[in-house]
Amino acid sequence: MKNIFFCCILLFGFTKFLFSQEQNDFEKILDGSILLKNDIEYYNIVDNIENGLFVEVKIDNKSYKFLVDTGASLSLIHDDLDIKMEPSNTKILTADNFGRETEKELFKADFYIGENLFKGFSFIKQDFSSLRENSCLNFDGILGINVLKKLNWKIIKEDNKLLFSKQPFSYVGFENPIEIKWYNYFVPLVELNFNKSNFFASLDTGFFGKIKLSEEIYNSYFDNYKKLVKGKGQSFYSMYGKVETDVRKANIKNLSLGKSYVLQDIVVIIDKSKPLIGKDILFSRSLIFNFLNNEMAFKKNEESNQIVTKVNSNFKVCRTGQNNQEIELCFFWDENKYRDLKIGDKIIKIDNFDTSNITDDEYCNLLSYLRTKQSLNITVKRGNKNFEYTLN
């Protein structure tokens, strides 16, 4: 029986940033220097890594929670924080993974991770309110590639530890390294292999999923795209809000990352945006990002070279938007088992939990509860009628 995992980060993507700027502006984006206390710095990850890779950042002696996101080309700070930052008198054009663009002003800020000084790095201000509200992930900022690329990073999953250094980390106990290539300097890419052919996907620790392929790449290998199961509803969140796009899923028997990491019978998501490898793959084991050497590696698994991933999510619930104390069905796959459901159905009961007038804490607790269940009894309200379903 498949595990039911339906929460609002089913297909969760943080905004990505690409640039087309004058050379002088490009150099401003790349500004920043790092002063480490020791050759290798050890740091505790905030929260459990299953919820994302978060670290504590200090600015002007105040502590903030930042997401470490290899899919964000530029670092961000929540725009309601009272943080003094130096304006750079530069505006840049930013875009998310679906090509939605906006112009943002560039700022400079100093910050600390532990006792290590990160000086003069570029940030933009962004409103995270909608993302935080719908995901129950409370964070204040994002450390993007403009910071991450200047160090090497090692994630020790079993100890919930993050290490960073200017020296490359040893691969003792790890598999052979995978080469990282760079698109426009800011986007880290690795090779995926299928049926003796290869293509590239970006490393994205801020994508709360496994693998997402573009429609173009999928169609280059298969001729059944129109027969694949389609998604209904709002499949993604970015910092520009909900994303409605044609999304489908497929099972691929053998897909490999680099030349040795095998992904067998993996469910991939397909849409019109760029290919991504998300945190459910990247954090399946301890991991090294030797960015200064353009390499990455997973910890060895003595039993197998396969990467084990979670069962793919089947549907999700969201706040209604009109009333944050109500939740509704906002995404599901167009399969027979969901044929009686409709997008926008109000969910008023899940098992023994009354969800008709849900508080913020109850909503976040509900998302945690749903991740553990294999079967659910739900009651939905459509108009003046209530319907009960058992979902397996």
Side-chain angles (χ1 to χ4, degrees):
M1 182 181 296
K2 288 187 176 182
N3 179 52
I4 291 177
F5 175 24
F6 68 121
C7 69
C8 73
I9 57 173
L10 163 65
L11 300 170
F12 185 69
F14 282 98
T15 304
K16 316 297 175 273
F17 295 89
L18 305 176
F19 312 101
S20 177
Q21 302 294 128
E22 297 294 333
Q23 181 65 29
N24 197 33
D25 294 342
F26 187 79
E27 291 174 356
K28 290 180 181 179
I29 294 167
L30 295 176
D31 277 350
S33 60
I34 302 169
L35 181 61
L36 300 182
K37 281 288 187 178
N38 300 289
D39 288 341
I40 298 178
E41 286 292 329
Y42 293 75
Y43 203 76
N44 290 325
I45 297 170
V46 177
D47 207 347
N48 189 308
I49 197 170
E50 297 298 331
N51 297 325
L53 180 54
F54 291 94
V55 296
E56 183 183 63
V57 168
K58 288 187 177 180
I59 304 176
D60 293 333
N61 294 319
K62 292 184 179 179
S63 295
Y64 302 96
K65 184 178 177 181
F66 274 57
L67 175 73
V68 176
D69 185 1
T70 60
S73 300
L74 184 61
S75 300
L76 302 94
I77 289 178
H78 189 27
D79 63 4
D80 71 350
L81 298 178
D82 185 19
I83 295 176
K84 294 180 180 179
M85 295 194 294
E86 179 186 349
S88 66
N89 300 316
T90 300
K91 291 188 176 181
I92 61 172
L93 187 65
T94 71
D96 68 8
N97 205 43
F98 294 88
R100 297 182 297 181
E101 297 180 344
T102 187
E103 192 175 59
K104 293 285 186 178
E105 186 175 359
L106 198 67
F107 294 88
K108 299 287 184 180
D110 300 343
F111 63 93
Y112 285 84
I113 299 179
E115 297 182 3
N116 306 285
L117 173 61
F118 293 70
K119 186 174 180 60
F121 279 91
S122 295
F123 286 86
I124 63 172
K125 295 181 179 180
Q126 180 69 41
D127 184 2
F128 300 153
S129 300
S130 178
L131 276 179
R132 297 196 303 191
E133 184 177 88
N134 283 282
S135 68
C136 292
L137 296 173
N138 292 315
F139 59 97
D140 304 301
I142 292 175
L143 294 182
I145 282 294
N146 68 311
V147 173
L148 302 177
K149 192 176 180 181
K150 295 199 173 187
L151 289 173
N152 299 310
W153 306 80
K154 183 176 181 179
I155 301 156
I156 307 177
K157 184 177 179 181
E158 56 270 25
D159 295 334
N160 218 44
K161 294 275 189 185
L162 178 67
L163 288 67
F164 46 92
S165 174
K166 293 183 180 180
Q167 303 301 318
F169 288 104
S170 168
Y171 295 125
V172 174
F174 280 70
E175 302 283 2
N176 292 329
I178 299 171
E179 182 182 8
I180 296 175
K181 294 183 179 295
W182 296 89
Y183 175 74
N184 278 356
Y185 192 88
F186 290 101
V187 183
L189 304 174
V190 293
E191 183 179 287
L192 287 171
N193 296 279
F194 175 77
N195 198 22
K196 298 182 179 180
S197 299
N198 68 289
F199 57 91
F200 288 91
S202 63
L203 301 169
D204 192 347
T205 57
F207 171 51
F208 282 45
K210 300 182 189 69
I211 289 182
K212 187 167 68 63
L213 300 181
S214 67
E215 182 180 331
E216 178 183 3
I217 284 178
Y218 186 84
N219 286 335
S220 68
Y221 295 102
F222 304 96
D223 60 2
N224 64 339
Y225 177 78
K226 292 185 177 179
K227 296 179 181 179
L228 296 177
V229 176
K230 296 180 66 174
K232 288 187 175 181
Q234 296 142 356
S235 50
F236 294 90
Y237 267 96
S238 85
M239 278 174 289
Y240 298 153
K242 298 176 182 178
V243 178
E244 292 190 47
T245 184
D246 187 7
V247 58
R248 306 189 185 213
K249 68 175 179 178
N251 183 278
I252 296 181
K253 294 296 182 183
N254 286 288
L255 187 66
S256 63
L257 175 58
K259 300 186 184 304
S260 56
Y261 304 98
V262 180
L263 302 163
Q264 287 192 337
D265 294 319
I266 186 169
V267 176
V268 302
I269 304 303
I270 305 154
D271 64 16
K272 296 183 184 299
S273 63
K274 303 299 183 183
L276 304 175
I277 301 173
K279 81 168 190 65
D280 285 353
I281 298 289
L282 298 174
F283 298 156
S284 60
R285 308 184 198 173
S286 294
L287 176 68
I288 290 173
F289 285 130
N290 275 333
F291 282 137
L292 298 179
N293 284 18
N294 298 321
E295 292 178 337
M296 64 171 285
F298 290 97
K299 187 177 181 180
K300 284 184 178 178
N301 183 337
E302 295 180 358
E303 297 179 0
S304 171
N305 67 338
Q306 293 185 23
I307 294 176
V308 178
T309 63
K310 298 176 183 177
V311 174
N312 210 64
S313 310
N314 291 315
F315 62 100
K316 67 175 180 176
V317 299
C318 302
R319 299 174 189 263
T320 63
Q322 293 80 20
N323 183 347
N324 276 347
Q325 293 180 308
E326 294 180 342
I327 59 174
E328 65 184 6
L329 184 66
C330 58
F331 179 87
F332 62 89
W333 294 107
D334 192 6
E335 299 172 303
N336 286 336
K337 60 185 174 182
Y338 301 127
R339 63 183 179 273
D340 295 324
L341 296 174
K342 291 184 178 181
I343 296 299
D345 280 343
K346 301 294 187 298
I347 300 175
I348 60 175
K349 190 176 182 180
I350 297 178
D351 288 344
N352 295 320
F353 294 94
D354 182 348
T355 60
S356 59
N357 190 28
I358 198 166
T359 65
D360 289 345
D361 288 343
E362 289 170 342
Y363 175 70
C364 294
N365 290 335
L366 175 65
L367 296 187
S368 298
Y369 172 78
L370 297 177
R371 297 171 196 171
T372 67
K373 303 300 292 182
Q374 293 183 326
S375 179
L376 291 169
N377 295 311
I378 71 170
T379 303
V380 302
K381 183 177 182 180
R382 187 183 304 154
N384 296 321
K385 294 183 179 181
N386 294 348
F387 303 85
E388 294 185 358
Y389 297 92
T390 299
L391 300 176
N392 295 317

